[in-house]
Amino acid sequence: MENLGNLHGVSHSQAGDLMSSRQSSHSHRNLVSHAHGRSAMVSSMASILDSTGDYRTDPSGLSGHLHPAMSMCESGMSLSNTYTTLTPLQHLPPISTVSDKFHHPHPHSHHHAAAHQRLSAGNVSGSFTLMRDDHRGLASMGNLYGHYPKDMSGMGHGSLSPLSNGLGSLHNSQQTLSAYGPGAHLSNDAKMLSPVTGFESHATMLSRSEEHLARSLGGHGHGMISNLNGMHHPHSHLHSQANGAAMLAERERHGAGSGQTGGSGGQAEEINTKEVAQRITAELKRYSIPQAIFAQRILCRSQGTLSDLLRNPKPWSKLKSGRETFRRMWKWLQEPEFQRMSALRLAEFMTRDGCPQCRNVPLKPYKSDVCGFIMLF
DNA sequence: TAGTAGTCAATAGT
DNA sequence: ACTATTGACTACTA
């Protein structure tokens, strides 16, 4: 089924290692180790992450249209305001049934499907709302953003644009919208890949993102796309270059082809899992974000799982449903710092107050699962 | 039904 | 406090 092995940019040798030794593959430990500007970051992060409650009082009703990142929260959970308070985790939605080519028709998928449809619908209707809220919220949150260290921009996305114009937030929101949750890859897969070091054009990236948005908007995308095309803003370029590194532009490099993953309409995206793992590791260190927090709030996974993934990332081609987890990591990396942090913050908020959507969604418990769905607003 | 992937949860290690 | 490891479990596939 998955004969994509060769597509992965992470050497095969490594792949071999990784695959053959889950236990012993501690070989690639060279992962990032630079945690510069940490103290400063810690404090700024703290200010952002601990300013709980800000969102609740937002008259715009943010509580109803939370940051997409919230989508990964479980309901009924209660978190304290501290970063380190954890709550039970939940599994991702039946990823394998909604992403990639793993569309296995299966008997139990009824309620899942229903739920997803529901979520999708919510996403559609919530898209603009989110953008609007985001746009509005940014103004008030701008001060927080200012707390970020200078080197943030150096990381690639410190785009302030969201604060300065609607387009910026529109773009970012759009990105965010598709960032997490099932609906995201349901439609996104087209090919978000690539770029990292900028071997993908700005235009390409943007069009992808826009396509994304368009799709999330429910098929009325063309108009949107063309509109957006005229509104590209400079920062997205930065963004792309900074984050794209984790993605493999195999298609671009090897030509469209290697079969399976691909063709048009298929899921062309490939994530360099090793790269993503390294970057996530670096970012977590950089901001002093505990694995447990990130794992829970952004990935809806346990600390142990994240740790394992970061240390022993399997090649994309070897992954099945596990791709979703990497997608989330990658998407998070794609977010501007501001949104990354708010994602964490909002995720916290969500876990504290419960997910309004989940309350009414039939649950498919898996151990400690409380909510087996990712919400899209 | 066996094998595999993905994950959790407990816990050992730092 | 945080990260790494690992046994066990569930879901899925052949």
Side-chain angles (χ1 to χ4, degrees), chain A residues 21-22 78 89 118 127 129 142 163 172 192 203 239 297 320 352 358 376:
Chain A
S21 57
R22 203 188 141 130
S78 61
L89 304 177
R118 226 173 105 181
S127 295
T129 302
L163 298 177
N172 288 325
M192 41 199 249
H239 193 138
R297 297 182 185 173
K320 292 185 177 176
R352 219 186 33 238
C358 299
L376 291 175

Side-chain angles (χ1 to χ4, degrees), chain A residues 26 48 50 53 75 112 117 134 162 169 187 192 200 226 256 276 280 289 311 335-337 348 370:
Chain A
H26 314 308
I48 293 167
D50 292 333
S75 65
H112 295 316
Q117 288 187 333
D134 196 13
S169 72
S187 56
M192 41 199 249
E200 180 173 19
S226 45
V276 167
I280 288 291
I289 300 170
R311 292 180 61 79
E335 300 280 320
E337 270 68 15
E348 173 193 353
V370 172

Side-chain angles (χ1 to χ4, degrees), chain A residues 38-365:
Chain A
R38 203 160 156 174
S39 54
M41 191 35 99
V42 173
S43 58
S44 57
M45 281 286 291
S47 67
I48 293 167
L49 297 168
D50 292 333
S51 55
T52 309
D54 297 341
Y55 303 102
R56 311 178 130 204
T57 54
D58 179 15
S60 67
L62 200 58
S63 59
H65 305 284
L66 300 170
H67 187 289
M70 308 269 283
S71 51
M72 21 216 103
C73 299
E74 20 323 24
S75 65
M77 298 285 140
S78 61
L79 273 181
S80 75
N81 296 336
T82 69
Y83 227 171
T84 53
T85 303
L86 303 178
T87 58
L89 304 177
Q90 71 181 33
H91 278 262
L92 284 169
I95 305 163
S96 58
T97 63
V98 299
S99 64
D100 292 347
K101 44 208 173 174
F102 303 104
H103 305 284
H104 311 300
H106 77 70
H108 316 304
S109 53
H110 292 80
H111 59 286
H112 295 316
H116 285 311
Q117 288 187 333
R118 226 173 105 181
L119 292 172
S120 294
N123 184 29
V124 172
S125 63
S127 295
F128 284 114
T129 302
L130 174 61
M131 289 188 261
R132 198 179 53 240
D133 288 346
D134 196 13
H135 180 46
R136 184 163 28 179
L138 286 169
S140 61
M141 297 165 87
N143 57 325
L144 295 178
Y145 189 88
H147 291 181
Y148 289 127
K150 307 290 185 191
D151 65 334
M152 291 292 249
S153 56
M155 289 178 54
H157 358 253
S159 98
L160 290 169
S161 58
L163 298 177
S164 57
N165 69 52
L167 298 184
S169 72
L170 178 64
H171 181 75
N172 288 325
S173 298
Q174 167 270 316
Q175 246 181 355
T176 305
L177 280 173
S178 55
Y180 318 90
H185 47 285
L186 267 178
S187 56
N188 86 28
D189 303 336
K191 45 185 160 187
M192 41 199 249
L193 339 166
S194 44
V196 181
T197 30
F199 47 82
E200 180 173 19
S201 72
H202 179 193
T204 302
M205 272 306 277
L206 287 171
S207 61
R208 287 177 179 176
S209 297
E210 283 143 17
E211 179 179 339
H212 221 164
L213 172 58
R215 294 186 184 186
S216 71
L217 289 174
H220 304 298
H222 290 313
M224 272 306 283
I225 291 179
S226 45
N227 284 337
L228 290 171
N229 277 332
M231 315 193 299
H232 295 159
H233 73 85
H235 296 289
S236 38
H237 190 190
L238 258 179
H239 193 138
S240 309
Q241 293 193 322
N243 295 304
M247 301 300 285
L248 297 177
E250 297 302 336
R251 205 125 266 133
E252 284 87 345
R253 286 191 221 150
H254 302 9
S258 357
Q260 323 231 1
T261 9
S264 50
Q267 270 79 43
E269 105 264 34
E270 262 183 55
I271 293 175
N272 182 330
T273 57
K274 182 184 177 185
E275 181 76 30
V276 167
Q278 292 179 327
R279 294 197 59 209
I280 288 291
T281 300
E283 298 297 272
L284 296 186
K285 284 185 178 178
R286 186 187 185 93
Y287 302 135
S288 294
I289 300 170
Q291 289 182 350
I293 295 297
F294 181 78
Q296 182 205 346
R297 297 182 185 173
I298 302 302
L299 307 177
C300 287
R301 293 287 180 274
S302 67
Q303 175 272 320
T305 295
L306 175 59
S307 176
D308 185 55
L309 294 177
L310 294 180
R311 292 180 61 79
N312 313 302
K314 285 183 182 178
W316 183 254
S317 61
K318 301 287 185 182
L319 296 171
K320 292 185 177 176
S321 62
R323 288 181 174 183
E324 178 59 24
T325 305
F326 278 100
R327 279 200 191 94
R328 289 184 178 184
M329 287 190 244
W330 185 72
K331 301 263 171 99
W332 186 77
L333 285 173
Q334 289 244 296
E335 300 280 320
E337 270 68 15
F338 178 75
Q339 289 190 4
R340 293 188 201 170
M341 298 316 135
S342 62
L344 286 167
R345 274 286 301 131
L346 288 169
E348 173 193 353
F349 166 75
M350 276 297 288
T351 55
R352 219 186 33 238
D353 294 353
C355 161
Q357 296 252 344
C358 299
R359 286 187 204 124
N360 302 315
V361 175
L363 305 179
K364 181 185 179 183

